[in-house]
Amino acid sequence: MAADAEFLIDRRRLRRKLTLWRVVGVGALILAVGAVGYRARIGEGRFFAANQDQIARISIGGFIAGSESTRKLMERVGKAESVRGVVLSISSPGGTTTGSEELYRNVRALAAKKPVVAFVDGTAASGAYITAIAADHIVARETALVGSIGVLFQYPEVSGLLDRVGVKVETVKSSPLKAEPSGFAPTSPEARAALSAIVMDTYGWFRGLVAERRGMDEAQLNAVADGRVFSGRQSVPLKLVDELGDERQAVAWLEKERNVPAKLPVKDWKPKAEGGLTLWSSLGSAADLAGFDGLAARLRAVGDETTALGQGGLLALWRPAP
């Protein structure tokens, strides 16, 4: 019996020691991840010395949807006395028309306070091109994809599938065009005409922005506004972008044309995390803390696209066929 009692006491002591080491281990892991995240963000505007002059880099990537955090970010950059110029680094296929309109207006508000240059570091199509033309100057890589000036409205039509499985959806509505298109029945000519009118009206708005910001006449606009994307090399003579190059050319333009002091450091400014906690935002935050900025942006973009598509609406988005 004495031996059994000593055995139980030893086991309890061992458990207490294991629990202590587990707590210490978890604490150490949290500190290590925090340190990595801090090091990954040490170059961002909010960690950078507030009184040291700099050029702010704002990255626009993934699916473009309405973002209050991005609006607040641009307001912070606009108020920062240390920021002498802004580089918009763009790599996006576009997004919703409302999200693209909001981002355009936010960039124009920022450009009223700071000189802004857009750098197309991959793709600036549809809604992302709307963002690019909000800047004072556009620089693109030679192999970048630019343009896709157009609007689309997509919806599934599953009436044939429902017929096969023997499901019928009954609808009672106040007028023929209410809740059209439904997806549960073929789209009527009247509903299709109403949707087409919305798409064409928004397309006219998009064309008007391009003509105004890029100084195009009707013939020049018609040559680029048929929904195609163009390479960076093609885009210069078409007036879609101003010059070819990388971010260094974008910074050089700020120095030469907007009197930004030479050799200033370019520092990343990013939105502060806001809103409710979702699966995608949680995964993005975890990748952010680990220093994987690219992965974090892609994870958040998936979440934004899922949310935006769930809400419906028009898209200014480039989607190549699979």
Side-chain angles (χ1 to χ4, degrees):
M1 296 294 292
D4 290 341
E6 289 180 2
F7 176 73
L8 290 174
I9 292 172
D10 287 341
R11 288 198 62 181
R12 287 173 182 170
R13 287 175 180 169
L14 181 60
R15 284 180 179 176
R16 284 197 293 269
K17 290 181 179 179
L18 287 174
T19 300
L20 175 62
W21 283 110
R22 284 172 181 165
V23 171
V24 171
V26 171
L29 178 61
I30 292 173
L31 288 175
V33 171
V36 171
Y38 178 81
R39 289 185 63 187
R41 296 201 180 282
I42 196 69
E44 292 183 22
R46 57 177 177 269
F47 285 105
F48 192 64
N51 60 350
Q52 185 173 350
D53 285 351
Q54 60 184 281
I55 294 172
R57 180 193 295 118
I58 300 176
S59 298
I60 306 297
F63 187 87
I64 294 175
S67 173
E68 182 70 7
S69 60
T70 299
R71 181 188 67 79
K72 291 181 178 179
L73 166 65
M74 293 191 180
E75 286 184 350
R76 292 204 320 271
V77 172
K79 293 177 181 178
E81 294 183 2
S82 61
V83 173
R84 304 297 299 274
V86 180
V87 174
L88 282 181
S89 182
I90 302 174
S91 186
S92 166
T96 65
T97 52
T98 53
S100 302
E101 177 189 357
E102 178 187 351
L103 187 52
Y104 172 86
R105 296 187 186 282
N106 291 338
V107 175
R108 291 306 304 148
L110 176 59
K113 301 175 182 178
K114 309 285 183 181
V116 179
V117 60
F119 166 51
V120 183
D121 190 19
T123 303
S126 288
Y129 186 64
I130 293 175
T131 305
I133 62 176
D136 304 319
H137 189 76
I138 304 175
V139 179
R141 294 191 185 275
E142 292 188 58
T143 56
L145 296 178
V146 179
S148 187
I149 298 169
V151 180
L152 71 152
F153 186 88
Q154 290 181 322
Y155 55 93
E157 202 279 279
V158 297
S159 60
L161 175 63
L162 296 180
D163 288 340
R164 289 186 180 182
V165 297
V167 176
K168 186 177 181 180
V169 178
E170 296 287 352
T171 302
V172 178
K173 52 186 179 180
S174 58
S175 57
L177 295 180
K178 179 64 178 176
E180 287 290 343
S182 71
F184 299 125
T187 305
S188 68
E190 294 79 11
R192 187 174 295 278
L195 291 172
S196 179
I198 295 173
V199 169
M200 295 308 294
D201 180 71
T202 307
Y203 174 54
W205 166 79
F206 194 166
R207 285 173 57 98
L209 282 183
V210 176
E212 175 188 350
R213 295 295 301 163
R214 301 303 300 168
M216 293 184 184
D217 59 30
E218 191 69 15
Q220 292 170 324
L221 186 60
N222 288 336
V224 297
D226 59 1
R228 285 182 290 170
V229 290
F230 301 89
S231 71
R233 286 163 55 88
Q234 293 173 312
S235 297
V236 173
L238 292 172
K239 298 182 67 173
L240 290 171
V241 304
D242 296 296
E243 63 175 308
L244 301 177
D246 56 18
E247 188 177 77
R248 288 172 294 183
Q249 272 68 45
V251 171
W253 181 85
L254 289 173
E255 295 170 349
K256 180 180 178 181
E257 302 296 335
R258 292 295 185 268
N259 298 318
V260 172
K263 298 182 179 179
L264 290 183
V266 181
K267 300 297 177 180
D268 283 311
W269 284 64
K270 297 184 180 180
K272 294 178 180 178
E274 292 184 352
L277 193 65
T278 66
L279 171 62
W280 296 109
S281 65
S282 300
L283 292 173
S285 297
D288 237 352
L289 284 174
F292 299 108
D293 290 347
L295 176 60
R298 287 194 292 272
L299 289 170
R300 290 194 179 96
V302 171
D304 289 342
E305 182 168 1
T306 302
T307 302
L309 291 180
Q311 295 172 346
L314 295 178
L315 298 175
L317 179 67
W318 179 64
R319 279 181 169 163

